[in-house]
C-alpha cells in the first residue's frame, strides 16, 4: 500500500530485506556449485573419439558380454589422455603406457592377439591394455574365496597395472598380517611396501579411474555400468 502516491516505508524495508535474502541464497547455491565441481563436470579426452570403436572392440574381445568401453576408456585417459605418442619419465610408451619389458611379456601371454606387439601402435596397445586388465582381474581375486567386491577387484586390478603385482601383493599381505581385510581395497590402502611417492601414485590411480573418469565416460554415452558407488 502507498500513502499520497509514495511507497510505504515499511513496505520498502520488507522488499529490501527480501532482495537481500534472495541474493544470499543465490550466492550460496551457485557459489557452492562452482567451488565444488561434480563428477559430471569432468570432460572426456577429445582424442577419445578417434579410438572409440577400437576401445569397444578391445573391451568386447577381453570381456565378452560384460565389456565396459567406459572403464577401458577411463583407464586410457588416465594413462595418456589418449595420446599415442605419450612417453613417461620412466620410459612407459604409447597410449596405454606399457613399459618395454611388459610389452614383450604380454605378447607371450597372448601370442595370437598380440603377435608383434608394438606399444607405440595405439590399435595394438588398446587391445593389449584390455587383455592385461583381464589377466590381472582374474589373478587378484585368486585366493579371495568370493569375498572380494567388484569395486575392490577392479581397484586391485588397476593398482597392479600401474605399479606391479608384486608390490600390491606385499601390501595386501601386510594388511592381512595386521588384521585388516586384504580383499578390501580401502582397508589395504594404508599399507605400504614401496616408496611413499610411488604408493601415493598407485593408490590414487584406481580412484581417479573408477570414481571420476569412468562416470564421465558413462555420462558421455560410452557403454558399461559404474563399478564403484
Amino acid at each position: 500500500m502507498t500513502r499520497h502516491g509514495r511507497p510505504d516505508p515499511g513496505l520498502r524495508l520488507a522488499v529490501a530485506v527480501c532482495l537481500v535474502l534472495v541474493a544470499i541464497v543465490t550466492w550460496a547455491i551457485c557459489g557452492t556449485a562452482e567451488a565444488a565441481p561434480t563428477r559430471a563436470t569432468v570432460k572426456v579426452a577429445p582424442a577419445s573419439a578417434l579410438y572409440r570403436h577400437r576401445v569397444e572392440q578391445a573391451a568386447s574381445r577381453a570381456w565378452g558380454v560384460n565389456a565396459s568401453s567406459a572403464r577401458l576408456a577411463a583407464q586410457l585417459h588416465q594413462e595418456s589422455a589418449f595420446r599415442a605418442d605419450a612417453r613417461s619419465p620412466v620410459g612407459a610408451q604409447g597410449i596405454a603406457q606399457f613399459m618395454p619389458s611388459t610389452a614383450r611379456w604380454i605378447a607371450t601371454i597372448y601370442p595370437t592377439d598380440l603377435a608383434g606387439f608394438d606399444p607405440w601402435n595405439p590399435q595394438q596397445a588398446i587391445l593389449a591394455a584390455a587383455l592385461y586388465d583381464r589377466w590381472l582381474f582374474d589373478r587378484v581375486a585368486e585366493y579371495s574365496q568370493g569375498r572380494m567386491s567388484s569395486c575392490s577387484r577392479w581397484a586391485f586390478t588397476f593398482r597392479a597395472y600401474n605399479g606391479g603385482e608384486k608390490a600390491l601383493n606385499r601390501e595386501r599381505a601386510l594388511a592381512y598380517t595386521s588384521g585388516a581385510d586384504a580383499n578390501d581395497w580401502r582397508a589395504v590402502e594404508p599399507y605400504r611396501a614401496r616408496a611413499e611417492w610411488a604408493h601415493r601414485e598407485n593408490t590414487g590411480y584406481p580412484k581417479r579411474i573408477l570414481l571420476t573418469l569412468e562416470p564421465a565416460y558413462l555420462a558421455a554415452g560410452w557403454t558399461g555400468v559404474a563399478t564403484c558407488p
Side-chain angles (χ1 to χ4, degrees):
M1 298 175 65
T2 62
R3 285 194 198 130
H4 308 295
R6 291 157 54 181
D8 186 321
L11 180 60
R12 283 188 293 170
L13 177 62
V15 171
V17 170
C18 288
L19 289 174
V20 170
L21 289 174
V22 169
I24 292 173
V25 171
T26 302
W27 174 86
I29 294 173
C30 296
T32 301
E34 291 176 2
T38 64
R39 293 179 184 179
T41 63
V42 177
K43 303 297 184 183
V44 302
S48 64
L50 300 174
Y51 299 106
R52 182 165 181 169
H53 182 61
R54 183 54 172 169
V55 170
E56 291 169 347
Q57 285 183 323
S60 180
R61 172 68 185 86
W63 301 96
V65 295
N66 296 317
S68 172
S69 64
R71 193 171 307 131
L72 180 56
Q75 183 183 16
L76 296 168
H77 181 130
Q78 176 64 13
E79 287 290 347
S80 67
F82 281 88
R83 286 180 48 231
D85 62 347
R87 183 193 293 271
S88 80
V90 297
Q93 302 172 340
I95 197 170
Q97 289 291 277
F98 275 97
M99 293 295 288
S101 58
T102 306
R104 290 191 295 270
W105 167 80
I106 195 68
T108 68
I109 301 299
Y110 296 98
T112 302
D113 291 290
L114 300 177
F117 172 41
D118 175 6
W120 293 113
N121 181 317
Q123 303 293 330
Q124 294 178 349
I126 290 169
L127 177 58
L131 293 173
Y132 190 24
D133 283 346
R134 181 58 193 262
W135 189 85
L136 291 167
F137 185 84
D138 290 340
R139 287 172 66 86
V140 296
E142 192 171 355
Y143 302 107
S144 69
Q145 298 178 331
R147 294 195 298 268
M148 186 181 292
S149 70
S150 178
C151 181
S152 286
R153 194 169 180 180
W154 270 105
F156 287 140
T157 295
F158 286 140
R159 285 192 61 182
Y161 186 106
N162 171 259
E165 264 194 305
K166 290 182 180 179
L168 174 62
N169 288 340
R170 287 196 297 269
E171 288 163 352
R172 290 180 67 188
L174 285 173
Y176 177 79
T177 56
S178 299
D181 186 355
N183 293 314
D184 186 300
W185 72 307
R186 296 289 193 182
V188 172
E189 186 175 324
Y191 297 90
R192 179 168 64 86
R194 64 189 94 197
E196 185 176 355
W197 69 266
H199 182 259
R200 186 169 56 252
E201 176 187 294
N202 187 248
T203 54
Y205 181 82
K207 291 179 186 176
R208 173 74 171 160
I209 293 171
L210 296 173
L211 303 181
T212 300
L213 293 172
E214 182 182 37
Y217 278 86
L218 288 170
W222 293 61
T223 59
V225 177
T227 314
C228 298

